[in-house]
């Protein structure tokens, strides 16, 4: 059972480049989300989804796009990378039914934008 | 606007002591209050969680105290050990919107 898989683990981009961070889960979880973690800022929610075809914005959505075409995958797209997007990115998933809300996190992607 | 305010940002406790981390929230629609533990280089992992219909939940050395009227909840780590040294995050979830938002985290260091 792989859980939540994030790729790549490390990435360096130049300002203006685009890229997609991949997230996949094999637990049939309805809820998936993306967070960024910065020193002194905690974990901030970027976008989330409660099922295929349904996405919504979190606290810091600007500069990021998401889509949810399947239950398993929830990619995060940076259309034009900026140095302010240098961060550690975590994908997390969970069931949405009451009593089963435990979030499972991936191992993270360290992104540097030069 | 921060959904949940966490304090302190850092905490040093001697081995065997009690570690206490506090969180406060405003939105009464929140229905689930978890604490996550994160070790360096790893993703956060659920430690313990509580619902607003109970005032306390204990799992081993970890206890959540919940004060609904004050809109506060706290994590108590009894008999703190060096292996507890990690960053701890409180979080809140709104049942209607499903999304989970986190506090800024507390870096705990337990010294021998």
């Amino acid at each position: 059972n792989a859980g939540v898989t994030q790729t790549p683990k490390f990435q360096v981009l130049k300002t203006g480049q685009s890229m997609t961070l991949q997230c996949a889960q094999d637990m049939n979880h309805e809820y998936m989300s993306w967070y960024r973690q910065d020193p002194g800022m905690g974990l901030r929610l970027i976008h989330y989804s409660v099922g295929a075809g349904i996405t919504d914005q979190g606290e810091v959505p600007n500069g990021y796009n998401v889509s949810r075409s399947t239950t398993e995958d929830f990619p995060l797209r940076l259309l034009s990378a900026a140095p302010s997007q240098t961060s550690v990115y975590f994908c997390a998933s969970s069931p949405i039914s009451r009593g089963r809300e435990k979030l499972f996190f991936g191992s993270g992607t360290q992104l540097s934008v030069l | 606007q921060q959904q949940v305010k966490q304090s302190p940002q850092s905490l040093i406790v001697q081995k065997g002591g009690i570690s206490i981390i506090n969180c406060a929230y405003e939105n009464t629609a929140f229905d689930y209050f978890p604490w996550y533990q994160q070790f360096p280089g790893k993703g956060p992992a659920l430690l313990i969680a509580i619902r607003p219909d109970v005032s306390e939940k204990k799992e081993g050395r970890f206890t959540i105290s919940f004060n609904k009227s004050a809109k506060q909840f706290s994590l108590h780590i009894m008999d703190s050990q060096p292996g507890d040294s990690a960053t701890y995050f409180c979080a809140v979830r709104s049942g209607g919107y499903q999304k989970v938002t986190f506090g800024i985290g507390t870096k705990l260091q337990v010294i021998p």
Side-chain angles (χ1 to χ4, degrees):
Chain A
N1 193 347
V4 179
T5 302
Q6 284 185 240
T7 55
K9 291 191 181 301
F10 302 95
Q11 184 70 49
V12 179
L13 291 178
K14 293 181 180 179
T15 298
Q17 286 185 316
S18 63
M19 80 158 297
T20 299
L21 306 185
Q22 301 291 345
C23 176
Q25 53 93 7
D26 61 357
M27 298 172 282
N28 202 33
H29 288 168
E30 300 94 337
Y31 179 87
M32 295 188 74
S33 53
W34 278 101
Y35 295 87
R36 60 176 290 173
Q37 184 171 20
D38 303 288
M41 304 292 284
L43 289 156
R44 291 183 292 170
L45 181 64
I46 304 172
H47 286 285
Y48 67 101
S49 167
V50 296
I54 305 170
T55 63
D56 206 346
Q57 296 181 350
E59 304 165 79
V60 287
N62 293 341
Y64 306 95
N65 280 353
V66 292
S67 60
R68 184 97 179 266
S69 57
T70 67
T71 300
E72 295 78 19
D73 301 299
F74 191 47
L76 179 72
R77 297 182 185 86
L78 285 71
L79 298 179
S80 178
S84 61
Q85 294 179 305
T86 293
S87 186
V88 179
Y89 291 84
F90 287 100
C91 178
S93 73
S94 78
I96 60 173
S97 55
R98 183 178 172 85
R100 300 179 62 220
E101 303 96 330
K102 173 183 175 181
L103 275 174
F104 292 79
F105 281 82
S107 57
T109 295
Q110 175 93 52
L111 176 67
S112 295
V113 182
L114 306 177
Chain B
Q1 182 183 358
Q2 211 172 6
Q3 299 278 346
V4 57
K5 295 182 180 179
Q6 182 173 347
S7 63
Q9 290 193 44
S10 64
L11 182 62
I12 299 174
V13 173
Q14 283 208 311
K15 179 182 176 182
I18 302 174
S19 305
I20 301 174
I21 305 170
N22 301 299
C23 283
Y25 64 97
E26 288 296 326
N27 190 340
T28 56
F30 296 139
D31 66 349
Y32 177 68
F33 302 85
W35 285 90
Y36 283 79
Q37 180 187 55
Q38 184 183 33
F39 293 104
K42 304 291 186 183
L46 180 66
L47 185 63
I48 187 172
I50 198 168
R51 297 196 180 279
D53 52 350
V54 297
S55 60
E56 185 175 282
K57 183 174 181 180
K58 184 176 180 179
E59 291 185 1
R61 296 185 294 108
F62 301 93
T63 300
I64 299 178
S65 295
F66 187 83
N67 187 328
K68 189 174 182 178
S69 61
K71 298 182 205 173
Q72 296 175 348
F73 60 110
S74 59
L75 176 69
H76 297 238
I77 305 174
M78 312 299 288
D79 187 25
S80 299
Q81 299 297 312
D84 297 330
S85 297
T87 299
Y88 293 81
F89 293 95
C90 63
V92 292
R93 193 199 82 145
S94 170
Y97 292 95
Q98 303 292 341
K99 67 181 181 181
V100 179
T101 53
F102 286 79
I104 63 170
T106 297
K107 187 172 184 179
L108 170 66
Q109 184 181 0
V110 181
I111 56 177

